[in-house]
Amino acid sequence: ACLLLTPWLSQAQWQQLRSLHGREMLLATLNSAVLAIHFLMFVTALESTPVTEAMIFSSLTPFFTALLAIVVLKETVNRSVWMGIGLAFCGTLIIAQTRANPILTVYPNHWFGNSLALFSSISLATNFTLARQLRNKLQVLPYSWLVFGLASMWVAAYVLLSGGTFLGYPRPAYGWLFLIALLPQIAWVS
């Protein structure tokens, strides 16, 4: 998807990217690695736990983001933010309770999957916290192009080093993967 976004970067946005040096490039690299870890953990979690349980832990991302804002950025988070986070989490719990099948028989490793989903949530919160510092210097499109592009390289390196492959899937799967990559990128940028 990042390759598809490349032609849309303006000259001024390319200049923003070229102006990054030292600490900012290190921050972008770290941010992309944390984002890649989030993607890898969440996808792996879905192999061991139901989507509803993974989403419960994923819904903790705003909580961890607020916590990091307090601890790392020394910000204060007002009561209405905490109330919103609590309300969203309660809604997730209500949705999760609607499923009927027993988890232990369907997903024997669900605690492992839930742990991965939890750490995925923490990774995403870390990504959001790091992004706030980068976004002071970059607009949304160059930021997305850089961080998501680097994250895709981290994920590709992991897949290849772990013996995985990107080949051998049915032809329609590649079309769906293309749409999954393209449509969220368009929504993210717009």
Side-chain angles (χ1 to χ4, degrees), residues 88-109:
F89 185 68
C90 288
T92 303
L93 288 176
I94 290 168
I95 292 168
Q97 292 304 315
T98 61
R99 67 183 164 70
N101 58 346
I103 295 168
L104 293 176
T105 57
V106 179
Y107 296 94
N109 296 325

Side-chain angles (χ1 to χ4, degrees), residues 126-146:
T126 304
N127 167 264
F128 290 155
T129 304
L130 293 171
R132 290 181 59 189
Q133 296 182 23
L134 268 178
R135 289 278 294 119
N136 290 334
K137 188 143 185 162
L138 293 173
Q139 294 174 349
V140 172
L141 183 58
Y143 167 81
S144 299
W145 183 87
L146 177 63

Side-chain angles (χ1 to χ4, degrees), residues 37-96:
I37 289 168
H38 157 70
F39 289 142
L40 291 168
M41 283 188 184
F42 192 76
V43 169
T44 306
L46 293 176
E47 295 173 359
S48 302
T49 196
V51 172
T52 52
E53 286 195 21
M55 290 309 297
I56 289 171
F57 291 103
S58 180
S59 72
L60 291 173
T61 299
F63 168 76
F64 290 121
T65 304
L67 199 60
L68 286 171
I70 293 168
V71 174
V72 176
L73 302 177
K74 308 294 184 216
E75 295 180 352
T76 58
V77 178
N78 65 39
R79 186 184 320 195
S80 63
V81 171
W82 288 115
M83 289 172 55
I85 290 170
L87 185 63
F89 185 68
C90 288
T92 303
L93 288 176
I94 290 168
I95 292 168

